[in-house]
């Protein structure tokens, strides 16, 4: 399947300049036709036979450029999905200007948590989806009631915290890599607090046994974690009740915090905290993409054989899988 992408810009209505602009890159299944428009402008129509397209919105980690997730966007688009990555430079904390997934700090406080989404970019992104439904190569081809939120690190956290049909009826599932809901003590939480998740939609949590960024950030949460995966495990165990058999915890052997990033950018963020990966990161990324795609096929696209295929993948004797749980 051919994959093409185009760019959009959107204004964040409640943000002040110059931090009120988001740049999007929209990946989609395409069908080359040989038209003059293709030849002269590079505009390629969507492969409409795969429509209406479910939409995946990928939230980046703080100071992680969206280009490091393009590999995943392309793999998912090849499976018949529209995927959006975005870039937003903002000042989420006073004096800290960063490339951000959009984190509403006010909604993380004890008084406000759970009352509104923490993903401050999401309303703008959903409005832009409505515009894309009305114009351009994707006009009329999107399933606006089939939006999946996914992300890495802080972006993964806001994705899983904001996947709540009370806030966004169009959101139907969420996944995250290297994310958890441990509460920062500086916001007023007791040490070791794990914040609850909406627990109303299918969820896939993925973590790596060599995640040094998580391991070396435990002081923020007032605890010393036994393993790099401890807060990810606790999020699965304590933040959701489960009971629908559509919530998953997948821990990858030898993966670190930035195993999801390719090409890896060592110049920003906190990669110096990470542990070295001990498995092939290309193989780890292939496994991540396959698990995410099968999860979406099974629980969003309702493909008949996808659930069995997902279960077979996750219970296999793959040396890259440290552990797997479902509830």
């Amino acid at each position: 399947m051919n994959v093409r992408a185009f760019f959009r810009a959107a204004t964040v209505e409640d943000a002040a300049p110059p931090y009120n602009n988001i740049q999007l890159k929209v990946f989609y299944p395409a069908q080359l036709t040989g038209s003059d428009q293709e030849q002269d402008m590079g505009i390629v129509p969507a492969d409409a036979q795969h429509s209406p397209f479910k939409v995946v919105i990928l939230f980046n980690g703080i100071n992680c450029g969206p280009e490091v997730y393009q590999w995943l966007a392309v793999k998912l688009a090849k499976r018949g999905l529209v995927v959006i990555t975005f870039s937003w430079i903002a000042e989420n904390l006073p004096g800290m200007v960063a490339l951000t997934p959009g984190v509403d700090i006010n909604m993380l406080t004890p008084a406000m948590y759970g009352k509104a989404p923490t993903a401050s970019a999401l309303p703008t992104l959903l409005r832009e989806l409505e515009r894309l439904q009305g114009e351009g190569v994707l006009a009329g081809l999107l399933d606006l009631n089939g939006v999946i939120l996914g992300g890495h690190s802080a972006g993964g956290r806001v994705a899983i915290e904001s996947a709540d049909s009370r806030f966004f009826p169009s959101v139907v599932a969420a996944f995250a890599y290297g994310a958890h809901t441990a509460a920062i003590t500086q916001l007023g939480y007791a040490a070791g607090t794990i914040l609850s998740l909406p627990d109303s939609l299918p969820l896939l949590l993925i973590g790596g046994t060599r995640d040094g960024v998580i391991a070396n950030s435990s002081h923020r949460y007032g605890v010393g974690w036994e393993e790099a995966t401890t807060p990810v495990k606790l999020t699965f165990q304590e933040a959701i009740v489960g009971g629908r058999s559509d919530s998953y915890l997948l821990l990858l052997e030898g993966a670190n915090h930035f195993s999801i990033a390719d090409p890896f950018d060592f110049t920003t963020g906190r990669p110096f905290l990470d542990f070295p990966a001990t498995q092939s990161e290309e193989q780890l990324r292939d496994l991540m993409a396959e698990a995410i795609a099968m999860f979406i096929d099974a629980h969003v696209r309702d493909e008949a054989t996808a659930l069995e295929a997902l279960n077979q993948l996750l219970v296999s004797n793959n040396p890259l899988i440290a552990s797997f749980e479902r509830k």
Side-chain angles (χ1 to χ4, degrees):
M1 183 182 294
N2 292 304
V3 174
R4 294 286 295 176
F6 59 87
F7 299 93
R8 300 277 291 197
T11 299
V12 184
E13 295 178 353
D14 57 353
Y19 306 123
N20 62 338
N21 187 263
I22 295 178
Q23 291 82 39
L24 294 74
K25 190 171 185 180
V26 183
F27 300 82
Y28 65 97
Q31 181 65 58
L32 291 167
T33 64
S35 69
D36 290 342
Q37 190 178 47
E38 285 179 10
Q39 297 298 315
D40 297 337
M41 303 180 66
I43 299 174
V44 180
D47 189 350
Q49 67 176 324
H50 298 283
S51 67
F53 299 114
K54 308 293 185 185
V55 180
V56 177
I57 298 176
L58 286 179
F59 293 81
N60 54 283
I62 291 175
N63 280 328
C64 294
E67 65 278 358
V68 305
Y69 311 107
Q70 176 161 313
W71 70 271
L72 178 57
V74 169
K75 283 181 178 290
L76 294 178
K78 285 184 176 181
R79 303 285 285 254
L81 299 162
V82 165
V83 184
I84 294 175
T85 63
F86 66 93
S87 178
W88 186 15
I89 295 175
E91 191 175 17
N92 287 149
L93 295 172
M96 182 180 175
V97 176
L99 185 62
T100 176
V103 183
D104 191 335
I105 299 298
N106 293 327
M107 292 303 108
L108 285 171
T109 62
M112 296 302 298
Y113 186 78
K115 297 180 179 178
T118 59
S120 54
L122 188 51
T124 300
L125 297 171
L126 293 177
R127 284 194 296 271
E128 194 61 24
L129 274 181
E130 293 177 358
R131 295 187 183 98
L132 292 175
Q133 182 74 320
E135 62 187 34
V137 297
L138 294 176
L141 299 179
L142 299 176
D143 181 353
L144 295 183
N145 292 312
V147 178
I148 302 106
L149 307 183
H152 168 221
S153 194
R157 176 164 183 160
V158 297
I160 60 178
E161 288 176 335
S162 301
D164 191 332
S165 55
R166 294 177 303 159
F167 306 142
F168 304 109
S170 61
V171 174
V172 293
F175 63 88
Y177 179 79
H180 57 80
T181 62
I184 297 174
T185 55
Q186 285 186 331
L187 292 177
Y189 291 98
T193 299
I194 300 293
L195 299 177
S196 63
L197 287 170
D199 195 20
S200 60
L201 300 171
L203 174 68
L204 171 62
L205 293 178
I206 308 176
T209 61
R210 297 288 295 167
D211 194 321
V213 174
I214 286 181
N216 288 309
S217 299
S218 61
H219 62 280
R220 293 182 173 186
Y221 312 100
V223 293
W225 288 318
E226 295 178 358
E227 301 174 342
T229 56
T230 295
V232 182
K233 289 179 182 177
L234 290 175
T235 297
F236 183 76
Q237 294 166 359
E238 299 180 14
I240 59 175
V241 176
R244 301 185 306 269
S245 295
D246 62 2
S247 295
Y248 299 82
L249 173 65
L250 173 62
L251 300 180
L252 301 180
E253 184 62 50
N256 66 19
H257 194 71
F258 292 100
S259 290
I260 193 174
D262 182 43
F264 174 63
D265 182 1
F266 64 88
T267 66
T268 62
R270 298 185 298 153
F272 44 82
L273 296 181
D274 216 356
F275 300 141
T278 57
Q279 300 276 8
S280 164
E281 293 189 277
E282 182 178 1
Q283 292 180 11
L284 287 165
R285 285 190 291 271
D286 285 345
L287 179 56
M288 287 181 213
E290 190 68 11
I292 291 167
M294 286 186 177
F295 167 74
I296 293 171
D297 286 347
H299 294 288
V300 178
R301 302 169 93 181
D302 297 320
E303 295 191 2
T305 61
L307 184 58
E308 181 181 354
L310 175 61
N311 288 333
Q312 288 179 351
L313 173 70
L314 297 181
V315 301
S316 65
N317 293 321
N318 190 327
L320 299 180
I321 297 178
S323 65
F324 158 68
E325 296 180 55
R326 178 182 179 191
K327 67 180 181 180

